[in-house]
Every structure is written in C-alpha cells, then in structure tokens.
PDB file of all heavy atoms in Angstrom:
ATOM      1  N   GLY A1084     -75.102-145.687 -19.735  1.00  0.00           N
ATOM      2  CA  GLY A1084     -76.015-144.559 -19.803  1.00  0.00           C
ATOM      3  C   GLY A1084     -76.445-144.222 -21.210  1.00  0.00           C
ATOM      4  O   GLY A1084     -77.172-143.260 -21.443  1.00  0.00           O
ATOM      5  N   SER A1085     -75.999-145.020 -22.172  1.00  0.00           N
ATOM      6  CA  SER A1085     -76.370-144.817 -23.569  1.00  0.00           C
ATOM      7  C   SER A1085     -76.984-146.095 -24.110  1.00  0.00           C
ATOM      8  O   SER A1085     -76.525-147.198 -23.807  1.00  0.00           O
ATOM      9  CB  SER A1085     -75.151-144.444 -24.410  1.00  0.00           C
ATOM     10  OG  SER A1085     -75.463-144.453 -25.798  1.00  0.00           O
ATOM     11  N   ALA A1086     -78.035-145.943 -24.912  1.00  0.00           N
ATOM     12  CA  ALA A1086     -78.667-147.105 -25.537  1.00  0.00           C
ATOM     13  C   ALA A1086     -78.190-147.315 -26.961  1.00  0.00           C
ATOM     14  O   ALA A1086     -78.673-148.216 -27.649  1.00  0.00           O
ATOM     15  CB  ALA A1086     -80.180-146.938 -25.522  1.00  0.00           C
ATOM     16  N   GLU A1087     -77.232-146.500 -27.434  1.00  0.00           N
ATOM     17  CA  GLU A1087     -76.741-146.663 -28.801  1.00  0.00           C
ATOM     18  C   GLU A1087     -75.946-147.956 -28.944  1.00  0.00           C
ATOM     19  O   GLU A1087     -75.037-148.216 -28.155  1.00  0.00           O
ATOM     20  CB  GLU A1087     -75.841-145.485 -29.191  1.00  0.00           C
ATOM     21  CG  GLU A1087     -76.564-144.205 -29.452  1.00  0.00           C
ATOM     22  CD  GLU A1087     -75.659-143.143 -30.057  1.00  0.00           C
ATOM     23  OE1 GLU A1087     -74.436-143.356 -30.085  1.00  0.00           O
ATOM     24  OE2 GLU A1087     -76.195-142.125 -30.506  1.00  0.00           O
ATOM     25  N   PRO A1088     -76.264-148.781 -29.935  1.00  0.00           N
ATOM     26  CA  PRO A1088     -75.499-150.014 -30.128  1.00  0.00           C
ATOM     27  C   PRO A1088     -74.260-149.786 -30.998  1.00  0.00           C
ATOM     28  O   PRO A1088     -74.280-148.985 -31.940  1.00  0.00           O
ATOM     29  CB  PRO A1088     -76.492-150.932 -30.842  1.00  0.00           C
ATOM     30  CG  PRO A1088     -77.355-149.989 -31.636  1.00  0.00           C
ATOM     31  CD  PRO A1088     -77.439-148.711 -30.834  1.00  0.00           C
ATOM     32  N   TRP A1089     -73.192-150.475 -30.650  1.00  0.00           N
ATOM     33  CA  TRP A1089     -71.990-150.554 -31.493  1.00  0.00           C
ATOM     34  C   TRP A1089     -71.740-152.020 -31.804  1.00  0.00           C
ATOM     35  O   TRP A1089     -71.879-152.882 -30.929  1.00  0.00           O
ATOM     36  CB  TRP A1089     -70.769-149.971 -30.777  1.00  0.00           C
ATOM     37  CG  TRP A1089     -70.691-148.481 -30.817  1.00  0.00           C
ATOM     38  CD1 TRP A1089     -71.461-147.589 -30.117  1.00  0.00           C
ATOM     39  CD2 TRP A1089     -69.769-147.687 -31.588  1.00  0.00           C
ATOM     40  NE1 TRP A1089     -71.082-146.305 -30.401  1.00  0.00           N
ATOM     41  CE2 TRP A1089     -70.034-146.329 -31.307  1.00  0.00           C
ATOM     42  CE3 TRP A1089     -68.748-147.997 -32.488  1.00  0.00           C
ATOM     43  CZ2 TRP A1089     -69.333-145.281 -31.882  1.00  0.00           C
ATOM     44  CZ3 TRP A1089     -68.029-146.962 -33.062  1.00  0.00           C
ATOM     45  CH2 TRP A1089     -68.329-145.623 -32.778  1.00  0.00           C
ATOM     46  N   LEU A1090     -71.366-152.319 -33.030  1.00  0.00           N
ATOM     47  CA  LEU A1090     -70.960-153.665 -33.437  1.00  0.00           C
ATOM     48  C   LEU A1090     -69.464-153.662 -33.715  1.00  0.00           C
ATOM     49  O   LEU A1090     -68.983-152.842 -34.505  1.00  0.00           O
ATOM     50  CB  LEU A1090     -71.725-154.115 -34.683  1.00  0.00           C
ATOM     51  CG  LEU A1090     -73.028-154.903 -34.501  1.00  0.00           C
ATOM     52  CD1 LEU A1090     -72.736-156.293 -34.005  1.00  0.00           C
ATOM     53  CD2 LEU A1090     -73.989-154.179 -33.575  1.00  0.00           C
ATOM     54  N   ARG A1091     -68.743-154.542 -33.036  1.00  0.00           N
ATOM     55  CA  ARG A1091     -67.294-154.640 -33.226  1.00  0.00           C
ATOM     56  C   ARG A1091     -66.940-156.092 -33.550  1.00  0.00           C
ATOM     57  O   ARG A1091     -67.252-156.999 -32.771  1.00  0.00           O
ATOM     58  CB  ARG A1091     -66.540-154.197 -31.969  1.00  0.00           C
ATOM     59  CG  ARG A1091     -66.863-152.776 -31.512  1.00  0.00           C
ATOM     60  CD  ARG A1091     -66.085-152.418 -30.245  1.00  0.00           C
ATOM     61  NE  ARG A1091     -66.490-151.137 -29.700  1.00  0.00           N
ATOM     62  CZ  ARG A1091     -65.989-149.962 -30.078  1.00  0.00           C
ATOM     63  NH1 ARG A1091     -65.044-149.921 -31.016  1.00  0.00           N
ATOM     64  NH2 ARG A1091     -66.420-148.846 -29.525  1.00  0.00           N
ATOM     65  N   THR A1092     -66.306-156.323 -34.676  1.00  0.00           N
ATOM     66  CA  THR A1092     -65.829-157.665 -34.996  1.00  0.00           C
ATOM     67  C   THR A1092     -64.657-158.015 -34.085  1.00  0.00           C
ATOM     68  O   THR A1092     -63.863-157.154 -33.706  1.00  0.00           O
ATOM     69  CB  THR A1092     -65.381-157.749 -36.458  1.00  0.00           C
ATOM     70  OG1 THR A1092     -64.570-156.612 -36.762  1.00  0.00           O
ATOM     71  CG2 THR A1092     -66.563-157.791 -37.398  1.00  0.00           C
ATOM     72  N   SER A1093     -64.559-159.281 -33.723  1.00  0.00           N
ATOM     73  CA  SER A1093     -63.489-159.754 -32.838  1.00  0.00           C
ATOM     74  C   SER A1093     -62.749-160.902 -33.512  1.00  0.00           C
ATOM     75  O   SER A1093     -63.148-162.065 -33.404  1.00  0.00           O
ATOM     76  CB  SER A1093     -64.081-160.213 -31.495  1.00  0.00           C
ATOM     77  OG  SER A1093     -63.060-160.589 -30.594  1.00  0.00           O
ATOM     78  N   PRO A1094     -61.658-160.584 -34.236  1.00  0.00           N
ATOM     79  CA  PRO A1094     -60.886-161.649 -34.906  1.00  0.00           C
ATOM     80  C   PRO A1094     -60.242-162.593 -33.902  1.00  0.00           C
ATOM     81  O   PRO A1094     -60.111-162.278 -32.714  1.00  0.00           O
ATOM     82  CB  PRO A1094     -59.820-160.863 -35.691  1.00  0.00           C
ATOM     83  CG  PRO A1094     -60.314-159.457 -35.755  1.00  0.00           C
ATOM     84  CD  PRO A1094     -61.124-159.252 -34.510  1.00  0.00           C
ATOM     85  N   THR A1095     -59.811-163.745 -34.391  1.00  0.00           N
ATOM     86  CA  THR A1095     -59.122-164.704 -33.526  1.00  0.00           C
ATOM     87  C   THR A1095     -57.860-164.081 -32.931  1.00  0.00           C
ATOM     88  O   THR A1095     -57.527-164.314 -31.771  1.00  0.00           O
ATOM     89  CB  THR A1095     -58.754-165.969 -34.303  1.00  0.00           C
ATOM     90  OG1 THR A1095     -57.995-165.600 -35.467  1.00  0.00           O
ATOM     91  CG2 THR A1095     -59.999-166.723 -34.744  1.00  0.00           C
ATOM     92  N   GLU A1096     -57.145-163.307 -33.722  1.00  0.00           N
ATOM     93  CA  GLU A1096     -56.012-162.517 -33.244  1.00  0.00           C
ATOM     94  C   GLU A1096     -56.159-161.109 -33.784  1.00  0.00           C
ATOM     95  O   GLU A1096     -56.813-160.886 -34.810  1.00  0.00           O
ATOM     96  CB  GLU A1096     -54.672-163.119 -33.689  1.00  0.00           C
ATOM     97  CG  GLU A1096     -54.333-164.424 -32.999  1.00  0.00           C
ATOM     98  CD  GLU A1096     -52.872-164.812 -33.185  1.00  0.00           C
ATOM     99  OE1 GLU A1096     -52.022-163.904 -33.341  1.00  0.00           O
ATOM    100  OE2 GLU A1096     -52.592-166.022 -33.186  1.00  0.00           O
ATOM    101  N   GLN A1097     -55.538-160.168 -33.088  1.00  0.00           N
ATOM    102  CA  GLN A1097     -55.673-158.765 -33.463  1.00  0.00           C
ATOM    103  C   GLN A1097     -55.239-158.530 -34.911  1.00  0.00           C
ATOM    104  O   GLN A1097     -54.146-158.914 -35.312  1.00  0.00           O
ATOM    105  CB  GLN A1097     -54.842-157.887 -32.527  1.00  0.00           C
ATOM    106  CG  GLN A1097     -55.044-156.399 -32.758  1.00  0.00           C
ATOM    107  CD  GLN A1097     -54.087-155.545 -31.940  1.00  0.00           C
ATOM    108  OE1 GLN A1097     -53.084-156.041 -31.415  1.00  0.00           O
ATOM    109  NE2 GLN A1097     -54.367-154.265 -31.832  1.00  0.00           N
ATOM    110  N   VAL A1098     -56.122-157.911 -35.683  1.00  0.00           N
ATOM    111  CA  VAL A1098     -55.830-157.506 -37.065  1.00  0.00           C
ATOM    112  C   VAL A1098     -56.250-156.037 -37.163  1.00  0.00           C
ATOM    113  O   VAL A1098     -57.384-155.742 -37.520  1.00  0.00           O
ATOM    114  CB  VAL A1098     -56.587-158.364 -38.103  1.00  0.00           C
ATOM    115  CG1 VAL A1098     -56.102-158.019 -39.513  1.00  0.00           C
ATOM    116  CG2 VAL A1098     -56.418-159.848 -37.819  1.00  0.00           C
ATOM    117  N   PRO A1099     -55.362-155.113 -36.817  1.00  0.00           N
ATOM    118  CA  PRO A1099     -55.763-153.719 -36.648  1.00  0.00           C
ATOM    119  C   PRO A1099     -56.417-153.115 -37.892  1.00  0.00           C
ATOM    120  O   PRO A1099     -55.858-153.146 -38.981  1.00  0.00           O
ATOM    121  CB  PRO A1099     -54.447-153.001 -36.334  1.00  0.00           C
ATOM    122  CG  PRO A1099     -53.548-154.077 -35.794  1.00  0.00           C
ATOM    123  CD  PRO A1099     -53.924-155.315 -36.542  1.00  0.00           C
ATOM    124  N   GLY A1100     -57.624-152.588 -37.696  1.00  0.00           N
ATOM    125  CA  GLY A1100     -58.286-151.811 -38.734  1.00  0.00           C
ATOM    126  C   GLY A1100     -58.814-152.574 -39.929  1.00  0.00           C
ATOM    127  O   GLY A1100     -59.292-151.953 -40.881  1.00  0.00           O
ATOM    128  N   LYS A1101     -58.778-153.903 -39.905  1.00  0.00           N
ATOM    129  CA  LYS A1101     -59.181-154.650 -41.102  1.00  0.00           C
ATOM    130  C   LYS A1101     -60.676-154.931 -41.130  1.00  0.00           C
ATOM    131  O   LYS A1101     -61.323-154.813 -42.169  1.00  0.00           O
ATOM    132  CB  LYS A1101     -58.414-155.960 -41.195  1.00  0.00           C
ATOM    133  CG  LYS A1101     -58.755-156.762 -42.445  1.00  0.00           C
ATOM    134  CD  LYS A1101     -57.893-158.003 -42.578  1.00  0.00           C
ATOM    135  CE  LYS A1101     -58.246-158.784 -43.849  1.00  0.00           C
ATOM    136  NZ  LYS A1101     -57.410-159.991 -43.999  1.00  0.00           N
ATOM    137  N   PHE A1102     -61.238-155.333 -39.985  1.00  0.00           N
ATOM    138  CA  PHE A1102     -62.632-155.738 -39.953  1.00  0.00           C
ATOM    139  C   PHE A1102     -63.503-154.635 -39.351  1.00  0.00           C
ATOM    140  O   PHE A1102     -63.019-153.705 -38.712  1.00  0.00           O
ATOM    141  CB  PHE A1102     -62.784-157.040 -39.177  1.00  0.00           C
ATOM    142  CG  PHE A1102     -62.058-158.196 -39.807  1.00  0.00           C
ATOM    143  CD1 PHE A1102     -60.947-158.753 -39.186  1.00  0.00           C
ATOM    144  CD2 PHE A1102     -62.472-158.725 -41.016  1.00  0.00           C
ATOM    145  CE1 PHE A1102     -60.269-159.819 -39.764  1.00  0.00           C
ATOM    146  CE2 PHE A1102     -61.799-159.795 -41.602  1.00  0.00           C
ATOM    147  CZ  PHE A1102     -60.693-160.338 -40.979  1.00  0.00           C
ATOM    148  N   THR A1103     -64.800-154.800 -39.491  1.00  0.00           N
ATOM    149  CA  THR A1103     -65.760-153.731 -39.219  1.00  0.00           C
ATOM    150  C   THR A1103     -65.886-153.370 -37.747  1.00  0.00           C
ATOM    151  O   THR A1103     -65.967-154.237 -36.873  1.00  0.00           O
ATOM    152  CB  THR A1103     -67.141-154.151 -39.763  1.00  0.00           C
ATOM    153  OG1 THR A1103     -67.085-154.197 -41.176  1.00  0.00           O
ATOM    154  CG2 THR A1103     -68.230-153.184 -39.340  1.00  0.00           C
ATOM    155  N   THR A1104     -65.915-152.057 -37.497  1.00  0.00           N
ATOM    156  CA  THR A1104     -66.452-151.467 -36.273  1.00  0.00           C
ATOM    157  C   THR A1104     -67.542-150.509 -36.728  1.00  0.00           C
ATOM    158  O   THR A1104     -67.290-149.624 -37.547  1.00  0.00           O
ATOM    159  CB  THR A1104     -65.373-150.722 -35.481  1.00  0.00           C
ATOM    160  OG1 THR A1104     -64.419-151.652 -34.980  1.00  0.00           O
ATOM    161  CG2 THR A1104     -65.988-149.958 -34.313  1.00  0.00           C
ATOM    162  N   HIS A1105     -68.766-150.691 -36.206  1.00  0.00           N
ATOM    163  CA  HIS A1105     -69.904-149.956 -36.764  1.00  0.00           C
ATOM    164  C   HIS A1105     -70.760-149.378 -35.652  1.00  0.00           C
ATOM    165  O   HIS A1105     -71.155-150.094 -34.721  1.00  0.00           O
ATOM    166  CB  HIS A1105     -70.753-150.904 -37.624  1.00  0.00           C
ATOM    167  CG  HIS A1105     -71.968-150.263 -38.217  1.00  0.00           C
ATOM    168  ND1 HIS A1105     -71.907-149.416 -39.301  1.00  0.00           N
ATOM    169  CD2 HIS A1105     -73.288-150.360 -37.872  1.00  0.00           C
ATOM    170  CE1 HIS A1105     -73.130-149.022 -39.606  1.00  0.00           C
ATOM    171  NE2 HIS A1105     -73.987-149.567 -38.749  1.00  0.00           N
ATOM    172  N   ARG A1106     -71.029-148.094 -35.751  1.00  0.00           N
ATOM    173  CA  ARG A1106     -71.953-147.443 -34.826  1.00  0.00           C
ATOM    174  C   ARG A1106     -73.369-147.660 -35.343  1.00  0.00           C
ATOM    175  O   ARG A1106     -73.742-147.166 -36.404  1.00  0.00           O
ATOM    176  CB  ARG A1106     -71.626-145.950 -34.719  1.00  0.00           C
ATOM    177  CG  ARG A1106     -72.476-145.188 -33.711  1.00  0.00           C
ATOM    178  CD  ARG A1106     -72.157-143.717 -33.772  1.00  0.00           C
ATOM    179  NE  ARG A1106     -72.982-142.942 -32.860  1.00  0.00           N
ATOM    180  CZ  ARG A1106     -73.096-141.623 -32.907  1.00  0.00           C
ATOM    181  NH1 ARG A1106     -72.437-140.930 -33.840  1.00  0.00           N
ATOM    182  NH2 ARG A1106     -73.870-140.999 -32.038  1.00  0.00           N
ATOM    183  N   GLY A1107     -74.155-148.411 -34.598  1.00  0.00           N
ATOM    184  CA  GLY A1107     -75.489-148.797 -35.044  1.00  0.00           C
ATOM    185  C   GLY A1107     -75.581-150.306 -35.156  1.00  0.00           C
ATOM    186  O   GLY A1107     -74.601-151.031 -34.973  1.00  0.00           O
ATOM    187  N   TRP A1108     -76.762-150.797 -35.461  1.00  0.00           N
ATOM    188  CA  TRP A1108     -76.987-152.240 -35.478  1.00  0.00           C
ATOM    189  C   TRP A1108     -76.807-152.815 -36.879  1.00  0.00           C
ATOM    190  O   TRP A1108     -77.224-152.217 -37.878  1.00  0.00           O
ATOM    191  CB  TRP A1108     -78.385-152.575 -34.970  1.00  0.00           C
ATOM    192  CG  TRP A1108     -78.648-154.056 -34.968  1.00  0.00           C
ATOM    193  CD1 TRP A1108     -79.437-154.757 -35.812  1.00  0.00           C
ATOM    194  CD2 TRP A1108     -78.081-155.010 -34.071  1.00  0.00           C
ATOM    195  NE1 TRP A1108     -79.407-156.097 -35.498  1.00  0.00           N
ATOM    196  CE2 TRP A1108     -78.575-156.284 -34.429  1.00  0.00           C
ATOM    197  CE3 TRP A1108     -77.187-154.923 -32.992  1.00  0.00           C
ATOM    198  CZ2 TRP A1108     -78.222-157.448 -33.762  1.00  0.00           C
ATOM    199  CZ3 TRP A1108     -76.842-156.085 -32.333  1.00  0.00           C
ATOM    200  CH2 TRP A1108     -77.353-157.325 -32.709  1.00  0.00           C
ATOM    201  N   LEU A1109     -76.179-153.976 -36.942  1.00  0.00           N
ATOM    202  CA  LEU A1109     -76.088-154.786 -38.151  1.00  0.00           C
ATOM    203  C   LEU A1109     -76.396-156.229 -37.755  1.00  0.00           C
ATOM    204  O   LEU A1109     -76.252-156.605 -36.583  1.00  0.00           O
ATOM    205  CB  LEU A1109     -74.683-154.720 -38.764  1.00  0.00           C
ATOM    206  CG  LEU A1109     -74.189-153.378 -39.304  1.00  0.00           C
ATOM    207  CD1 LEU A1109     -72.706-153.488 -39.668  1.00  0.00           C
ATOM    208  CD2 LEU A1109     -75.000-152.955 -40.514  1.00  0.00           C
ATOM    209  N   ASP A1110     -76.788-157.031 -38.709  1.00  0.00           N
ATOM    210  CA  ASP A1110     -76.971-158.458 -38.461  1.00  0.00           C
ATOM    211  C   ASP A1110     -75.596-159.068 -38.187  1.00  0.00           C
ATOM    212  O   ASP A1110     -74.756-159.154 -39.093  1.00  0.00           O
ATOM    213  CB  ASP A1110     -77.610-159.108 -39.695  1.00  0.00           C
ATOM    214  CG  ASP A1110     -77.846-160.605 -39.521  1.00  0.00           C
ATOM    215  OD1 ASP A1110     -77.208-161.217 -38.647  1.00  0.00           O
ATOM    216  OD2 ASP A1110     -78.664-161.156 -40.271  1.00  0.00           O
ATOM    217  N   PRO A1111     -75.308-159.504 -36.963  1.00  0.00           N
ATOM    218  CA  PRO A1111     -73.955-159.972 -36.648  1.00  0.00           C
ATOM    219  C   PRO A1111     -73.565-161.232 -37.405  1.00  0.00           C
ATOM    220  O   PRO A1111     -72.391-161.406 -37.765  1.00  0.00           O
ATOM    221  CB  PRO A1111     -73.997-160.216 -35.139  1.00  0.00           C
ATOM    222  CG  PRO A1111     -75.438-160.401 -34.818  1.00  0.00           C
ATOM    223  CD  PRO A1111     -76.188-159.545 -35.787  1.00  0.00           C
ATOM    224  N   TYR A1112     -74.531-162.109 -37.656  1.00  0.00           N
ATOM    225  CA  TYR A1112     -74.207-163.355 -38.358  1.00  0.00           C
ATOM    226  C   TYR A1112     -73.929-163.088 -39.838  1.00  0.00           C
ATOM    227  O   TYR A1112     -73.025-163.697 -40.420  1.00  0.00           O
ATOM    228  CB  TYR A1112     -75.348-164.361 -38.177  1.00  0.00           C
ATOM    229  CG  TYR A1112     -75.526-164.755 -36.735  1.00  0.00           C
ATOM    230  CD1 TYR A1112     -76.559-164.218 -35.970  1.00  0.00           C
ATOM    231  CD2 TYR A1112     -74.643-165.640 -36.120  1.00  0.00           C
ATOM    232  CE1 TYR A1112     -76.717-164.563 -34.634  1.00  0.00           C
ATOM    233  CE2 TYR A1112     -74.793-165.994 -34.791  1.00  0.00           C
ATOM    234  CZ  TYR A1112     -75.832-165.440 -34.050  1.00  0.00           C
ATOM    235  OH  TYR A1112     -75.972-165.776 -32.729  1.00  0.00           O
ATOM    236  N   ARG A1113     -74.674-162.170 -40.412  1.00  0.00           N
ATOM    237  CA  ARG A1113     -74.387-161.790 -41.802  1.00  0.00           C
ATOM    238  C   ARG A1113     -73.023-161.094 -41.886  1.00  0.00           C
ATOM    239  O   ARG A1113     -72.269-161.315 -42.821  1.00  0.00           O
ATOM    240  CB  ARG A1113     -75.493-160.890 -42.346  1.00  0.00           C
ATOM    241  CG  ARG A1113     -75.206-160.411 -43.774  1.00  0.00           C
ATOM    242  CD  ARG A1113     -76.396-159.727 -44.418  1.00  0.00           C
ATOM    243  NE  ARG A1113     -76.063-159.190 -45.724  1.00  0.00           N
ATOM    244  CZ  ARG A1113     -75.922-159.910 -46.820  1.00  0.00           C
ATOM    245  NH1 ARG A1113     -76.092-161.220 -46.768  1.00  0.00           N
ATOM    246  NH2 ARG A1113     -75.609-159.346 -47.964  1.00  0.00           N
ATOM    247  N   LEU A1114     -72.735-160.258 -40.894  1.00  0.00           N
ATOM    248  CA  LEU A1114     -71.449-159.570 -40.865  1.00  0.00           C
ATOM    249  C   LEU A1114     -70.297-160.579 -40.850  1.00  0.00           C
ATOM    250  O   LEU A1114     -69.320-160.448 -41.596  1.00  0.00           O
ATOM    251  CB  LEU A1114     -71.380-158.661 -39.643  1.00  0.00           C
ATOM    252  CG  LEU A1114     -70.104-157.843 -39.446  1.00  0.00           C
ATOM    253  CD1 LEU A1114     -69.854-156.918 -40.622  1.00  0.00           C
ATOM    254  CD2 LEU A1114     -70.184-157.047 -38.139  1.00  0.00           C
TER     255      LEU A1114
END
C-alpha cells in the first residue's frame, strides 16, 4: 500500500548494521 522505495544490502552472511539500509532510491549497482 506504499510506493516508497527502500534499498537494503544483502550480504552473503549476516553482518549486523554494517552495510546500507536506505529509505529512498539509490543506484543499486553503484551501492
């Protein structure tokens, strides 16, 4: 019900809090 984009990095294994979680759009390949 929301069109807001979130970008969440997905490491090979869980690395809590290290990589980006971003509300809004970013270039995923650049990220």
Side-chain angles (χ1 to χ4, degrees):
S1085 171
E1087 287 190 350
W1089 280 73
L1090 268 289
R1091 303 179 187 274
T1092 46
S1093 184
T1095 55
E1096 290 194 29
Q1097 186 187 16
V1098 187
K1101 182 175 181 180
F1102 297 111
T1103 292
T1104 293
H1105 178 76
R1106 184 185 178 194
W1108 180 253
L1109 295 171
D1110 180 340
Y1112 296 103
R1113 177 170 175 76
L1114 180 60

